[in-house]
Amino acid sequence: MSSANSRIERFMNNVRQSLKSANYYEGHQELRAIASRLVKQKKHERAIQLLYLGALELCQYHQWGSVADLTTYMINIYVEERVPVTEESKERVYDIFERLSTATEYYPRVYETAIQWSIGADRLAGKPNSVGDTQMHHFVGCILRSNVRYQEAEQHLLVGTPESPTVLGNMLFEWASRTDAEDYGLFIARGVLKYLALGWYEAAGSCWRAFIGRLAQAQPDLVKERASGGALPSLPSKIGPVYYAQRHELVNFVQLLLLTVERSNGSPSSDSTRIFNSLRGQYEARFGENAGTVHEIMDTVAQKYFGVVVQRQQSLFDIVNSLFAAPAPPAIAGPSQPSEDMD
């Protein structure tokens, strides 16, 4: 063990004794003071290590406010010292994320700081349009989902990894199941329409497959796979089997939209574009108070897949943060969120 690591370990032993004696505030302040001294001495790696170990120790005593403070301090050092986003630097953050995730008062502050660090690191690396590390978004989204914070989780899963769309599709079904909504289409539209507007068709398909599979399993009398043959033969599709959902008109709309996008050749005068415009005319108004939001997102879809020129182009941030008003409040007992507006 190096002399530097030896000194950190000796100091941590002192902190552990303070914590065992329930001197939590004292332990927190000692950690902060030593870390600050190390930063002034330009010993940033040691300061990071100390804050990380100190936060983990405080987690054992559920001192979440102190944990959040030390973790935020550590990430701020990442920012100031331009620490790149590596497996090692992320792993420290993830370790604390998992332990802190149930402390809803403090968790958002920490993960928002971490996301901003990853955005800044990407921009320094020549990625000016970055929304942050995709693995971090996926990690945060999964934790938020497990805590039934669906609205927040959605925003991270939309810009996550290739595994995120399946997680989002399952989550949107769970969210719909907790409400009184008869038509679950508003929920799956939140994922599929936004993925399409982001230009990520494969993600839209994965999100759809996860959702429709759960819906068909939960409501087999209402949601049936369309059989091959007959007057309306099934067509091969990247999104998997074609379903018909009774009482879920907007679910059917989302599926028709995916099939239409898949068959588009990008020409504004094609049959696919004509069908797309017909779908818009038939279904947009059925989203009620969300019709305006859906209209804007569909404008972006029209431009990306059908060669239609629109006046106002949505940015990635516009798409991810576009507002959907909530459906009915939760009808099933269990944790829920207060306001369900999509931020």
Side-chain angles (χ1 to χ4, degrees), residues 49-293:
Q49 185 70 3
L50 182 70
L51 291 167
Y52 167 62
L53 293 174
L56 290 181
E57 288 294 333
L58 283 159
C59 284
Q60 297 181 45
Y61 299 91
H62 297 180
Q63 298 299 302
W64 304 125
S66 296
V67 172
D69 177 67
L70 295 180
T71 308
T72 302
Y73 190 2
M74 181 185 77
I75 297 169
N76 285 337
I77 296 175
Y78 279 4
V79 174
E80 291 167 9
E81 295 306 307
R82 299 188 174 186
V83 174
V85 179
T86 64
E87 291 304 315
E88 181 184 14
S89 59
K90 284 192 294 185
E91 199 59 41
R92 295 189 191 110
V93 176
Y94 291 170
D95 273 355
I96 300 169
F97 272 0
E98 287 185 306
R99 294 165 172 81
L100 187 63
S101 61
T102 56
T104 54
E105 180 180 354
Y106 301 105
Y107 185 61
R109 171 178 137 205
V110 176
Y111 75 66
E112 286 166 7
T113 304
I115 294 292
Q116 288 304 312
W117 156 61
S118 74
I119 290 173
D122 276 354
R123 290 179 178 173
L124 286 171
K127 302 174 184 176
N129 298 318
S130 171
V131 293
D133 184 74
T134 57
Q135 288 183 341
M136 190 174 293
H137 278 294
H138 180 78
F139 189 91
V140 170
C142 288
I143 288 179
L144 290 169
R145 174 203 176 187
S146 69
N147 288 327
V148 200
R149 300 177 71 86
Y150 296 142
Q151 182 177 325
E152 297 164 74
E154 175 188 73
Q155 294 175 321
H156 293 283
L157 294 171
L158 283 167
V159 289
T161 67
E163 290 74 36
S164 299
T166 298
V167 175
L168 181 57
N170 281 301
M171 188 196 83
L172 292 171
F173 175 79
E174 292 165 9
W175 191 356
S177 300
R178 288 175 171 268
T179 73
D180 293 321
E182 290 187 7
D183 187 341
Y184 284 13
L186 177 59
F187 294 90
I188 186 56
R190 297 175 73 104
V192 167
L193 267 63
K194 289 186 176 185
Y195 277 133
L196 289 177
L198 291 169
W200 197 2
Y201 180 82
E202 293 79 8
S206 296
C207 183
W208 164 259
R209 284 191 294 274
F211 180 93
I212 196 64
R214 294 283 298 277
L215 182 59
Q217 185 177 33
Q219 300 182 12
D221 293 337
L222 297 179
V223 182
K224 298 181 182 295
E225 184 178 341
R226 201 174 79 183
S228 299
L232 293 172
S234 292
L235 296 174
S237 171
K238 294 178 182 178
I239 65 171
V242 175
Y243 291 86
Y244 175 71
Q246 295 182 52
R247 302 181 191 171
H248 295 279
E249 290 188 13
L250 295 180
V251 170
N252 293 325
F253 158 70
V254 170
Q255 179 175 241
L256 288 169
L257 175 61
L258 283 167
L259 292 170
T260 304
V261 169
E262 181 181 337
R263 287 160 175 74
S264 175
N265 62 6
S267 169
S269 59
S270 68
D271 287 342
S272 294
T273 303
R274 178 181 55 78
I275 294 170
F276 172 76
N277 289 330
S278 176
L279 288 173
R280 294 191 70 172
Q282 184 177 351
Y283 286 100
E284 276 186 8
R286 299 187 190 185
F287 282 89
E289 61 184 309
N290 294 294
T293 299

